[in-house]
Structure formats: C-alpha cells, structure tokens
Amino acid sequence: MPTTVRSHAKINLGLGIGAPRADGFHALSTVYQTLEVHDRVRVTAERAEATKIQLSSNDRRVPTDHRNTAWKMAEFALESLRIHADVHIHIEKQLPVQGGLGAGSANAVAALVGLEAELGISPEAFPDWPAQRLHLAARVGSDVPLFLIGGAILGLDRGQSVFPLPDLPPIWTVIATPAVGVSTPQAFRDWDELCAQEGLTESASADKLNELSRAYAACFAGVEAPNEAGYEAQSGSSGVLAVGGDLAGPQVSALVRTGIANDFERVVFPQHPLLSEIKRTLAASGTPEAALYASLSGSGSALFGLYRGERDAEAARHRLRELGVESFVTRTLPRAPYWRSMILLQD
Ligand SMILES: C[C@](O)(CO)[C@H](O)COP(=O)(O)OP(=O)(O)OC[C@H]1O[C@@H](n2ccc(N)nc2=O)[C@H](O)[C@@H]1O
Ligand SMILES: Nc1ncnc2c1ncn2[C@@H]1O[C@H](COP(=O)(O)OP(=O)(O)OP(=O)(O)O)[C@@H](O)[C@H]1O
C-alpha cells in the first residue's frame, strides 16, 4: 500500500556564512523556515530477502540512482535498522531544482517518513530511532535535518545542527523562480574567494556567527507559537487566509532590525544582476505594498518576499510578471501543521 508524503520547501530567513573550514564545509548561522508549497513523494516498501531500491520522477533533472537524496536516505535508514526491503520511491516534482529551496533535501525526509509508515518503524518499536534518523539525515546533506523539525529552525555548524525556534504565524510569501540554476558548491567556492580578498579568518567569522545566532535567538525570545486552533482559524476551511490579514507579527520586523541578510547575495548577485533586480522588485521599498523583507534563499536562484497580506503578495507577483519572471504565492508553514499534513495519502 503506497504512502504519499508532502515534501515541503524551505527558505533561509537570514544566512550568515563563515570562512572555509578544513573539512571543506563552512560554519553557518541561519534561520530556516518551512513553506506550504511542496513536492509529493510516494513510497512503496515491503520487507524482503535483500534490499532493492528503485526511484522514478516526473522531472528528468532528478537523478534516479544512488545520487538521489531520497535514495541515500532510504539506503542509510535500512542499513541502520538492519532491515531488508523492496522499496520504490516516486518523486513528483513541483518545486524548482537547484533553487535554494532545499527541495532535494526535503525529498530525503519525505522518503524516510514514507518508508517508516510503510515498514511500521515507530519510536515505540525502535527507541533510538529519533536520534539516529537525525544523524543519518545530516549524512545525506546539511539541509536535510531541518526537515525533521519543520517550522522556524535555527541552523548552526554546517547547517545540520538544528534547533526548533518558536513558530512565526503564517506569512504570505512570494517565491520568484528565475530561469537560472545556482550550484551550491560553486557559490561556496565563490564565497571563499571573497573571504580571501577580505582576509576573513575562521576565528573572526566564528565571532560574527555567534553574535548573529544570539541576535536571532533574541528576536524569537518570548514569541508565542501559534497553536493549531489559531492556524485553522487563520486559514479557514478553504486553506486561504483572509485578504489583508496582518499576521506577520513583530518577529519579522525584529529580524529585519537585526540586519538579517543572506551572505550569498554578495557573490551570487554580481554574477547574476537579474537576481538583484528581482529582489528590488519583490521589496518595492517605499510603496504601500512593500515587502516586510525580501532576500535570496540559500544559494539561490529562488528569491522570496514576505508580505503583510495576500493582496500585497499578489501585487508583487504582478510586478514580477511585468519583469518576465515566474513566481508563485505560498505561506510560511509552522511546525504543527507541517507534521499534521505531511502524510497525504495511504492507499
Ligand atoms: C546553501 C544552503 O542551502 C543553506 O541552507 C545549504 O548550506 C546547502 O546545504 P546542502 O545542499 O544540503 O549541502 P551539502 O549537500 O551538505 O553540501 C554540498 C556542498 O556544499 C558545500 N557546503 C555545504 C554546506 C556548508 N555548510 N558548507 C559548505 O561548504 C560543500 O562544498 C559541500 O560539498
Ligand atoms: N531528490 C532530488 N531532487 C532534486 N535534485 C536532486 C535530488 N537528489 C539529488 N539531486 C541533485 O541535487 C541538485 C540540487 O538539487 P536541489 O533542488 O535540492 O537544490 P537546492 O534547492 O539548491 O538545494 P539546497 O537549498 O539544499 O542547496 C540537483 O541538481 C540534482 O542533481
């Protein structure tokens, strides 16, 4: 009986990057935030004599072998649980590939959740599993563990060290998806060149990141997480927020006042000037429909704008259309509804 799982995107509400480390990674301090928009991952699995994994996708850019994050996650999980199974994973892509929205990383967690449902892996049956799966997720990729938490999350170390933050209320979000792919490893290499030019050392960047993490934590201190009833009331039965509802709360303004920024913009924007034009278009600074905040997500190429209400978000989409740039409207997704709606179908 296949299990279909929603595989949600993320954005980075601020991303501070350190100097290159000896292990080839970079220390980060970031606030991840999950979004309503998602791919769908269908998993079929049954215990077998030997493990066999098969993967398919509607999108030809998605690798269908051991290079796929979902494949790796399933393989690591089965090895770790000492279970042999016949597994089929189908990834129905809706999110951009190489967009900086963590779509591939989310697919890994969705495949894991599907596999657990199919094989009856529960914390009751496997008490060590919750800690183990976080560890395995970090092996698959730095952006994977965040999807085992959902909502607003502080990401430290190389991004795999994740801490749940009090949730923000749902915020209207526009994602611009320019037809540009940005390679994450290449963006980090470009960052290294900038660090070398500016003489940014590992110890100086550690100070910078610690200060940033403290500032992030301060913004979230005392935030009341929206409860499920509140989320339902805001969403209504249609799942659509009332027009003009200002739900962004003071937290986004507090984050903006800390000077949140995405360090990747410094290396990605000079190479792709269109992306900084899109950010200006999303921001619409000084107008009544101005974004609360606009930024590149991850290493790009997707950018996002956060808005006071649906009307301002639609106005941003209209401005982007005039610029010839595709976009869609979504909302930020707090932790409780992230988990409540994750399993879409078990048929
Ligand atoms: C840019 C972000 O999306 C921000 O959320 C993430 O940092 C990227 O996470 P990811 O795609 O899961 O990255 P991984 O698959 O772990 O690493 C891909 C490559 O990116 C570089 N990398 C990644 C994360 C990090 N903190 N430092 C790095 O230098 C390394 O060269 C690594 O070989
Ligand atoms: N399940 C997957 N879906 C899409 N791409 C995948 C997947 N597994 C591996 N890949 C490879 O990873 C590359 C990056 O894909 P992805 O869409 O996750 O990038 P991204 O959104 O920039 O991720 P991040 O924000 O984590 O850097 C793709 O070009 C593809 O070759």
Side-chain angles (χ1 to χ4, degrees):
M1 284 208 298
T3 302
T4 304
V5 182
R6 286 193 175 94
S7 177
H8 293 277
K10 61 84 180 159
I11 49 176
N12 299 80
L13 298 175
L15 171 56
I17 315 173
R21 300 193 317 204
D23 66 359
F25 285 89
H26 296 73
L28 302 178
S29 176
T30 186
V31 175
Y32 299 112
Q33 171 64 57
T34 47
L35 300 177
E36 286 181 351
V37 68
H38 55 270
D39 290 334
R40 284 170 192 212
V41 176
R42 194 180 66 237
V43 181
T44 316
E46 56 185 27
R47 289 175 197 244
E49 287 288 301
T51 289
K52 184 175 167 208
I53 301 175
Q54 286 173 289
L55 198 144
S56 55
S57 175
N58 64 329
D59 188 323
R60 293 173 59 180
R61 292 166 301 174
V62 173
T64 54
D65 55 17
H66 64 276
R67 290 169 301 168
N68 194 295
T69 50
W71 178 301
K72 284 187 200 163
M73 192 76 238
E75 193 174 41
F76 291 169
L78 291 172
E79 269 171 21
S80 177
L81 290 161
R82 295 197 174 82
I83 292 176
H84 294 302
D86 206 344
V87 181
H88 187 264
I89 302 168
H90 180 74
I91 300 177
E92 195 70 27
K93 271 279 155 203
Q94 277 157 5
L95 300 170
V97 173
Q98 277 204 336
L101 299 174
S105 307
N107 291 168
V109 166
L112 178 68
V113 169
L115 190 72
E116 289 169 349
E118 287 284 288
L119 298 177
I121 311 300
S122 64
E124 292 74 41
F126 299 85
D128 297 339
W129 188 234
Q132 238 174 317
R133 73 213 275 265
L134 261 176
H135 179 71
L136 297 177
R139 272 178 64 200
V140 175
S142 310
D143 263 358
V144 179
L146 80 100
F147 292 104
L148 284 171
I149 298 194
I153 304 140
L154 179 65
L156 300 179
D157 194 352
R158 62 179 169 89
Q160 93 294 1
S161 186
V162 285
F163 303 90
L165 289 166
D167 261 324
L168 301 170
I171 305 168
W172 286 101
T173 304
V174 175
I175 304 288
T177 55
V180 176
V182 176
S183 147
T184 299
Q186 185 57 48
F188 275 113
R189 282 195 288 276
D190 296 338
W191 173 256
D192 294 351
E193 251 178 62
L194 189 72
C195 287
Q197 281 164 23
E198 296 185 348
L200 182 67
T201 61
E202 230 185 303
S203 71
S205 64
D207 291 345
K208 164 188 125 169
L209 295 179
N210 284 339
E211 201 175 308
L212 189 57
S213 306
R214 275 194 294 273
Y216 287 149
C219 290
F220 282 84
V223 171
E224 276 294 317
N227 60 24
E228 286 223 40
Y231 184 75
E232 291 299 342
Q234 287 158 2
S235 302
S237 55
S238 64
V240 176
L241 280 171
V243 172
D246 182 357
L247 296 164
Q251 300 86 16
V252 174
S253 312
L255 278 167
V256 172
R257 279 197 303 275
T258 63
I260 48 167
N262 180 340
D263 281 342
F264 273 127
E265 289 183 356
R266 297 189 59 205
V267 288
V268 174
F269 282 1
Q271 289 177 28
H272 303 284
L274 171 65
L275 302 190
S276 68
E277 195 179 344
I278 294 173
K279 177 173 167 172
R280 279 196 300 277
T281 305
L282 282 164
S285 303
T287 71
E289 297 93 21
L292 294 160
Y293 181 61
S295 171
L296 188 72
S297 183
S299 54
S301 64
L303 296 104
F304 67 89
L306 305 178
Y307 298 91
R308 285 180 189 81
E310 187 178 17
R311 211 169 9 210
D312 291 355
E314 288 298 343
R317 276 206 75 192
H318 182 73
R319 294 193 297 274
L320 289 168
R321 217 173 293 130
E322 288 189 332
L323 195 65
V325 174
E326 289 197 17
S327 65
F328 56 86
V329 176
T330 183
R331 290 184 308 170
T332 61
L333 182 63
R335 191 165 305 117
Y338 174 83
W339 284 108
R340 183 168 40 76
S341 66
M342 182 171 273
I343 294 195
L344 185 62
L345 205 64
Q346 280 185 296
D347 47 26

